[in-house]
């Protein structure tokens, strides 16, 4: 009888406790809510005079080494910059680039193979050498199919293989491209196999990227193509500079660039985005160590941006999470539809795709 | 001394409410308009600073109380949610939910997972530390270390599986270090019912805890249903720790340091110690956050500060107790 009474009292205690907790959550999370702001219409943009529209996929193909496309773009940008009387490649540089395009249209066959230990090295190799000359690709690189299409990557083996050392010894690469952050044991393994190692700079600057392309070109015996790619990247950045200058001149208020991952963060001067924002003369938080700094919603409200650029790879989830916060929904930039999403992974490409990262930022500034 | 903590409490509360990027004058006007119902605008005071203060107060009270109860239940000054791996268990379950992104559709799953992880870990450590029906203190700490190591390894496996999704891994890392940035009413609602139920449970059984510290047999002779009270206190510890993990992340060693310091001041009686842990714990955590904000330290979170201070304190405690452990 006593046991039965105890069981009954236990049941009451536990069920009351569970009811309090679940009832609280039910009331807090499902009884309230506010509508999300609509994703803005991308047609509302600052119009840039004398500018051509570029397809991201075509520009990507050019950056992945398509010399025919490179030639078309170089001539198109030359015209655009002549019309706008803005700085571009010098006549000598342009002539040299066009000569190299013609030369590269009939590439010579190469037999040596190369092992890219970093994303950036893999990206340079994809642009400069044949697919069969690349020993393997980092697994994570394949996820970004917008930059590295499946048809290119599928035939190249994956780097994440437990027998990598054995496979490498069979492939017998002429050289491996590493960086200062490469895994020490992999470096040791490469040393033991007698594979020459070339260290590429890991700085997020245009100069470091151009040096990287030239280094890879020199080692792979594709110096002309490397020179062409650096000239192409330089031409693209100069053309985007002109657009950026025009857009920045049209703006009246500040623009805030934020990442969103369970909270807001701003890019720092150490990140590629920070480097590009400095090129756009946008103030960037200084941090010699990290790529991001957390930002409070209150700080964002205090900044009262004219436009808000959100850097994320999952815009739909970010949209539904970010604007659950009434703080952000009340920003003038959000109310007026002056916010947009740009791809996060592109903002981390410290290689020839810096062009796409820069273009994304400038396109976002047009909103 | 009697008025010291209430005065600090008021100062910390005022400091938290007036510290921020938006000037107080405009904020106050807008807050009054919101209260009067003439504005619906988001207000940093009402929607960010006040909920953050409440979260910090509840989390501080939760961790300190959970630590004091664990130290009393296990009769060891070294017991605390982080030392015995309870936080690691809650964290692992929360990370699983985060990886599967279930929390986006059902926010309440996150604290539930954290509570479940904490409870399972606590039970595992407890049963591993039992030898012939008796709790063995050196075995308890060893069990905690073993279970913690296992859980951290499982967490590493999970993060290794997710290694190509480095942005998700970064999010998990950022959450783990215990940040107070952008806390709102959502996080308050996630943890408040857990903390309030857990704190009430610990406060309710503080007398029984004192009797249980005499030994299970003596406590039963004095009318305490030891098994029931122990189980309910385990549940309370899991609710308190899980609530903190869901709302702030991992604040390591806070539950170890504070009860030990307060025991030096107020003595070992839980009837006094537990209410003091609730008050001082809440003020201390909110005070730590306020100092970080006033000094504009961006590169360190409240979890980092707590872990560094607590780690040194933990080593001190181990050093002090080394002869006792060697002897037992």
């Amino acid at each position: 009888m006593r046991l039965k009474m105890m069981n009954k009292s236990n049941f009451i205690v536990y069920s009351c406790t569970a009811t309090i907790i679940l009832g609280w959550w039910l009331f807090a999370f499902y009884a309230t809510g506010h509508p999300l702001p609509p994703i803005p219409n991308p047609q509302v943009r600052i119009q840039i005079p004398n500018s051509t529209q570029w397809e991201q996929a075509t520009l990507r193909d050019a950056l992945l080494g398509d010399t025919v496309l490179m030639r078309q773009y170089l001539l198109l940008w030359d015209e655009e910059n002549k019309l706008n009387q803005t700085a571009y490649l010098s006549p000598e540089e342009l002539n040299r680039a066009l000569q190299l395009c013609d030369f590269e249209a009939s590439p010579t066959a190469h037999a040596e193979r190369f092992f890219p230990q970093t994303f950036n090295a893999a990206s340079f190799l994809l642009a400069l050498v044949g697919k069969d000359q690349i020993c393997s690709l980092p697994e994570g690189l394949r996820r970004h199919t917008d930059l590295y299409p499946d048809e290119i990557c599928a035939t190249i083996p994956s780097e994440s293989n437990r027998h990598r050392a054995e496979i490498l010894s069979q492939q017998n690469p002429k050289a491996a491209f590493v960086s200062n952050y490469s895994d020490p044991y992999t470096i040791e393994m490469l040393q033991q196999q007698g594979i020459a190692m070339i260290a590429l700079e890991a700085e997020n600057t245009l100069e470091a990227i151009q040096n990287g392309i030239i280094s890879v070109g020199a080692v792979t015996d594709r110096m002309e193509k490397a020179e062409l790619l650096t000239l192409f990247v330089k031409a693209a950045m100069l053309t985007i500079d002109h657009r950026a200058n025009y857009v920045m001149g049209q703006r009246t208020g500040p623009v805030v660039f934020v990442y969103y991952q369970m909270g807001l963060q701003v890019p720092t001067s150490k990140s590629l985005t920070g480097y590009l924002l400095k090129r756009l003369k946008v103030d960037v938080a200084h941090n010699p160590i990290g790529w991001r700094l957390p930002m409070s919603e209150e700080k964002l409200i205090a900044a009262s941006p004219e436009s808000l650029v959100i850097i994320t790879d999952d815009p739909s989830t970010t949209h539904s999470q970010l604007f659950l916060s009434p703080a952000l929904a009340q920003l003038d930039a959000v109310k007026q539809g002056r916010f947009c999403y740009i791809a996060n992974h592109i903002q981390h490409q410290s290689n020839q795709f810096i062009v796409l990262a820069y273009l994304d930022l400038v396109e976002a500034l047009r909103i | 001394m009697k008025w010291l903590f209430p005065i600090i409490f008021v100062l910390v509360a005022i400091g938290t409410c007036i510290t921020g990027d938006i000037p107080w004058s405009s904020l106050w006007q807008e807050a009054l308009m919101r209260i009067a119902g003439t504005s619906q605008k988001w207000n940093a005071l009402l929607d960010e600073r006040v909920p953050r203060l409440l979260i910090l107060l509840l989390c501080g009270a939760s961790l300190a109380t959970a630590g004091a109860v664990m130290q009393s239940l296990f009769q060891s000054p070294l017991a605390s949610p982080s030392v015995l791996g309870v936080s690691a268990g809650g964290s692992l379950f929360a990370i699983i939910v985060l990886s599967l992104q279930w929390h986006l559709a059902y926010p309440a799953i996150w604290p539930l997972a954290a509570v479940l992880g904490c409870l399972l870990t606590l039970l595992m450590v407890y049963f591993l530390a039992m030898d012939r029906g008796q709790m063995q203190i050196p075995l308890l700490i060893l069990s905690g270390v073993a279970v913690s190591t296992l859980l951290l390894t499982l967490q590493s496996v999970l993060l290794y599986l997710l290694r190509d999704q480095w942005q998700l891994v970064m999010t998990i890392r950022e959450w783990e270090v215990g940040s107070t940035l952008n806390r709102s009413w959502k996080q308050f609602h996630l943890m408040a019912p857990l903390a309030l139920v857990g704190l009430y449970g610990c406060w309710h059984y503080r007398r029984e805890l004192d009797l249980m510290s005499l030994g299970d047999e003596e406590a039963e002779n004095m009318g305490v249903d030891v098994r029931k009270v122990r189980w309910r206190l385990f549940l309370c510890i899991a609710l308190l720790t899980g609530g903190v993990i869901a709302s702030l992340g991992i604040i390591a060693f806070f539950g170890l340091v504070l009860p030990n310091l307060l025991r030096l001041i107020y003595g070992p009686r839980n009837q006094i110690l537990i209410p003091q842990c609730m008050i001082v714990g809440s003020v201390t955590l909110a005070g730590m956050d306020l100092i970080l904000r006033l000094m504009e330290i961006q590169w360190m979170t409240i979890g980092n500060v707590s872990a560094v201070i607590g780690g040194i304190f933990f080593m001190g405690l181990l050093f002090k107790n080394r002869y006792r452990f060697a002897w037992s």
Side-chain angles (χ1 to χ4, degrees), chain A residues 242-298:
Chain A
H242 151 62
R243 295 177 174 210
N245 289 338
Y246 181 82
V247 172
M248 290 304 277
Q250 299 295 307
R251 301 203 67 91
T252 51
V255 188
V256 173
F257 292 80
V258 289
Y259 300 100
Y260 180 75
Q261 275 166 5
M262 287 185 78
L264 300 169
Q265 295 113 28
V266 285
T268 67
S269 51
K270 194 167 168 63
S271 67
L272 181 70
T273 307
Y275 168 78
L276 293 172
L277 288 177
K278 275 203 280 186
R279 195 176 169 111
L280 288 167
K281 297 176 186 68
V282 172
D283 287 337
V284 180
H286 179 70
N287 183 352
I289 307 166
W291 288 353
R292 299 172 184 205
L293 273 180
M295 185 194 214
S296 67
E297 288 177 354
E298 191 179 332

Side-chain angles (χ1 to χ4, degrees), chain A residues 15-30:
Chain A
S15 54
C16 281
T17 309
T19 310
I20 290 170
I21 294 170
L22 294 176
W24 188 311
W25 284 341
L26 216 64
F27 183 74
F29 297 125
Y30 301 106

Side-chain angles (χ1 to χ4, degrees), chain A residues 140-243:
Chain A
L141 183 136
R142 295 164 195 278
R143 290 177 188 272
H144 305 313
T145 49
D146 55 338
L147 297 180
Y148 308 100
D150 276 341
E151 57 267 28
I152 293 178
C153 300
T155 52
I156 307 171
S158 168
E159 191 198 343
S160 57
N161 189 310
R162 284 182 192 281
H163 307 293
R164 190 170 61 181
E166 292 170 32
I167 294 169
L168 261 184
S169 77
Q170 284 176 330
Q171 289 177 324
N172 191 25
K174 181 187 172 191
F177 295 98
V178 295
S179 198
N180 56 3
Y181 55 83
S182 295
D183 168 38
Y185 295 115
T186 304
I187 302 277
E188 204 173 309
M189 179 267 287
L190 293 168
Q191 267 173 344
Q192 283 170 357
Q193 293 202 14
I195 299 168
M197 274 181 285
I198 293 92
L200 299 179
E201 284 179 74
E203 290 293 313
N204 285 318
T205 62
L206 181 60
E207 293 71 36
I209 292 165
Q210 286 176 324
N211 290 341
I213 296 170
I214 295 294
S215 298
V216 174
V219 174
T220 55
D221 196 19
R222 300 305 298 267
M223 204 51 213
E224 290 83 6
K225 195 163 188 181
E227 194 188 341
L228 170 61
L229 189 59
T230 52
L231 284 171
F232 182 75
V233 169
K234 185 182 174 184
M237 295 297 277
L238 285 171
T239 309
I240 301 170
D241 272 345
H242 151 62
R243 295 177 174 210

Side-chain angles (χ1 to χ4, degrees), chain A residues 10 14 17 24-25 28 143 261-262 265 292 294-299 313 317 321 327 330 344 348, chain B residues 20-22 41-42 48-49 104 108 110 164 166-167 170-171 174 181-182 189-190 192 197 225 231-232:
Chain A
N10 270 345
Y14 292 126
T17 309
W24 188 311
W25 284 341
R143 290 177 188 272
Q261 275 166 5
M262 287 185 78
Q265 295 113 28
R292 299 172 184 205
M295 185 194 214
S296 67
E297 288 177 354
E298 191 179 332
K299 210 177 187 78
D313 275 337
T317 310
Q321 288 301 302
Q330 76 160 52
N344 188 13
H348 293 277
Chain B
D21 289 286
I22 299 176
K41 229 176 141 186
W42 182 87
E48 208 264 329
R49 297 182 197 175
L104 298 180
W110 207 3
D164 289 327
W166 62 270
Q167 291 165 44
M170 218 168 97
T171 305
E174 272 170 22
L181 208 68
N182 293 330
H189 290 309
L190 279 179
V197 169
D225 185 345
W231 166 244
R232 285 190 179 176

Side-chain angles (χ1 to χ4, degrees), chain B residues 36-53:
Chain B
T38 52
S39 166
Q40 289 299 310
K41 229 176 141 186
W42 182 87
N43 183 275
L45 174 66
L46 299 179
D47 296 314
E48 208 264 329
R49 297 182 197 175
V50 170
R52 174 169 23 96
L53 175 66

